[in-house]
């Protein structure tokens, strides 16, 4: 068994544990740095009453807390399923060096977790999306962006 398969088994075990505990769907994730698991997560959408509490999000939050930083430089993510659009965005923001996954998005769709509509919506013009997304009050919001641009003590990330 490879080290990657060993770590993936940990993510899969978390997916099963969370499912059996009725915390959410059957998804698990770990974050590894220097061959040490520094973050763990399973889907906690139901128990946390939080639609963003996916396994990858909870594992990223755990790992960042462990490291005391907001990025996962040099880390590996092992997730029991190909990340959904939300988790994929969080992964890119966290900047790990690699992501390993087991089940595919098609496998997830086959058990009722179908994100195809979200993938489609991401490439649809804002005015044509299923949920109305309406821009308002750009002037005041843009002023804050301009203040950020001029801020001399900001942390760029």
């Amino acid at each position: 068994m490879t080290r990657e398969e060993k770590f993936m088994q940990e993510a899969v075990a978390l997916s099963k544990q969370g499912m059996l505990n009725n915390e959410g769907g059957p998804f698990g994730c770990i974050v590894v740095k220097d061959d040490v698991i520094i973050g763990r997560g399973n889907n906690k959408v139901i128990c946390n009453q939080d639609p963003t509490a996916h396994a990858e999000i909870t594992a990223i939050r755990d790992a960042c807390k462990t490291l005391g930083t907001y990025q996962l430089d040099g880390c590996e993510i092992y997730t029991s399923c190909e990340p959904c659009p939300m988790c994929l965005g969080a992964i890119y923001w966290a900047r790990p060096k690699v992501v390993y996954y087991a089940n595919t998005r098609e496998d997830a769709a086959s058990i009722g977790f179908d994100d195809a509509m979200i993938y489609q919506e991401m490439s649809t013009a804002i005015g044509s999306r299923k949920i109305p997304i309406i821009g308002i009050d750009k002037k005041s919001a843009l002023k804050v962006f301009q203040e950020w641009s001029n801020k001399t003590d900001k942390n760029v990330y």
Side-chain angles (χ1 to χ4, degrees):
M1 175 183 312
T2 67
R3 65 178 286 286
E4 290 84 3
E5 290 169 332
K6 178 185 143 220
F7 285 129
M8 184 58 73
Q9 285 188 350
E10 290 289 324
V12 171
L14 285 170
S15 74
K16 184 173 182 178
Q17 176 186 344
M19 176 192 66
L20 293 175
N21 291 339
N22 292 318
E23 295 175 335
F27 305 96
C29 181
I30 62 168
V31 179
V32 174
K33 184 163 189 167
D34 299 325
D35 286 332
V36 175
I37 298 173
I38 59 162
R40 297 174 187 274
N42 61 278
N43 185 294
K44 295 181 180 260
V45 168
I46 302 299
C47 69
N48 288 1
Q49 297 179 339
D50 178 356
T52 69
H54 289 199
E56 295 89 342
I57 302 293
T58 57
I60 288 169
R61 288 175 179 164
D62 189 38
C64 287
K65 184 176 179 181
T66 297
L67 293 176
T69 185
Y70 51 86
Q71 291 187 330
L72 299 178
D73 297 327
C75 294
E76 301 168 319
I77 293 179
Y78 294 82
T79 179
S80 66
C81 188
E82 181 180 355
C84 75
M86 175 185 69
C87 293
L88 187 60
I91 288 166
Y92 273 91
W93 283 117
R95 296 180 175 90
K97 68 179 181 179
V98 66
V99 176
Y100 297 97
Y101 69 94
N103 294 320
T104 66
R105 66 173 95 163
E106 292 82 13
D107 296 326
S110 75
I111 62 164
F113 295 92
D114 190 352
D115 297 324
M117 183 273 293
I118 298 170
Y119 283 103
Q120 183 178 359
E121 285 286 287
M122 290 170 56
S123 63
T124 300
I126 287 179
S128 300
R129 292 184 181 168
K130 294 182 186 313
I131 297 175
I133 299 175
I134 303 162
I136 59 171
D137 200 15
K138 181 177 178 171
K139 184 178 177 182
S140 62
L142 192 55
K143 183 179 177 186
V144 178
F145 272 18
Q146 291 166 341
E147 290 175 18
W148 170 261
S149 183
N150 296 328
K151 186 172 169 52
T152 59
D153 63 342
K154 63 186 168 200
N155 290 319
V156 179
Y157 55 96

